Amino acid sequence: SGLVAFPGDPQVEGYTSPLGMALIAASMKLGLFHPMWTPKILGFALMLGAFWFLRTAARASFPGADRWTDLGLVLAALSPPLAVWTASGLENPLYALTVAGLVAFVARVGVPTMKAALLAGLLAGIIPWVRPDGFVFAALAPLVVLLGSSADLRRRLSFAAVASATTIGSVGLLTLWRWKEFGDVVSNTFHAKSGDPMSAQATGAILVVVTLVTIVGVSRGVSATRVRWGLGLSLVIAAVAWGFGLKGAPRAFAGMLGPLVLGVTLTSLIWAAPRSGRLVWLVATMLGLLAYLALPGDWMGEYRFATPFILIATPWATIEIGRALATLRASGTRWVLVGVACVALALLGGR
């Protein structure tokens, strides 16, 4: 009868997480499933792996910052959204593990070889099998290598092409499986919650990310011409959204003021204390933010769909703020930045 919720039921494609479903099914097959304890034990084990991956990534990106890394990981572990949803029996801890594994791998990529590109593409290709919106992390390795590697342009482009093609191949297999099994390329939860793949919320999220990238460009001394191009791209996206009838896009952008202010603050702190190795964290945080903000509002609270953003941003922000506070000489500037960060977090909490 194929994949059904219960024997004899009709097939309904509600499985947005085939790998998460397979993990629970395996525990049932082995006689190890308990509705209360199995999700909690699995969640603990998967999150332990996720934190280990992030600690490995942080040690590669920020040598000598172990104290701040450990503090950031503890704060992430104490975060109610992670504590609640990673023990819920849903796909959140597996999502966290796969994203953290990809971040750890990309953080340690030295020379962008074809083997590294294949592995990065495979790791990124696993994530959509856990959560469909995790497809955005397909951009992590290509962007980090294209923007941050010292290799020649041809090698960087080859890396990005191979990694992207590998991930697209994995997503293609997932799409073919869904079509063969259920006659649809997306789960029914997509139709129930969204219906329109290009929503005002997604447009607002793109505007936030473009704005943050522009701010980073300004902080790094990018030419005024490129800054104007970035701001112009934001306006073009807004105009296209208006043309498609997505008149809620400006309102969605305004509703994302908290993440935007938080991004501006973190950017100021980052470039106040320059360090190498942060590009993978910046790109991963922005992709996690995009994946969360692009989704429509949901009845599941406690930032159920923000797991990667919270998991990556919390230790990264702790490391950056800790190093910046130790570096900045003007205590007034130091506490102004901390105060703005607190206001931004309050705005984010009100989302």
Side-chain angles (χ1 to χ4, degrees), residues 125 129 135 163-176:
W129 288 77
F135 180 67
S164 301
T166 305
T167 304
I168 291 171
S170 176
V171 175
L173 289 175
L174 174 61
T175 305
L176 287 174

Side-chain angles (χ1 to χ4, degrees), residues 101-155:
L102 177 63
V103 171
F105 180 81
V106 175
R108 299 178 72 87
V109 169
V111 179
T113 62
M114 290 303 100
K115 180 180 178 181
L118 282 170
L119 288 173
L122 286 173
L123 289 172
I126 291 171
I127 299 174
W129 288 77
V130 181
R131 269 206 63 80
D133 42 295
F135 180 67
V136 299
F137 289 98
L140 179 61
L143 283 176
V144 170
V145 168
L146 284 172
L147 298 175
S149 175
S150 59
D152 61 86
L153 180 60
R154 183 176 180 180
R155 174 170 285 190

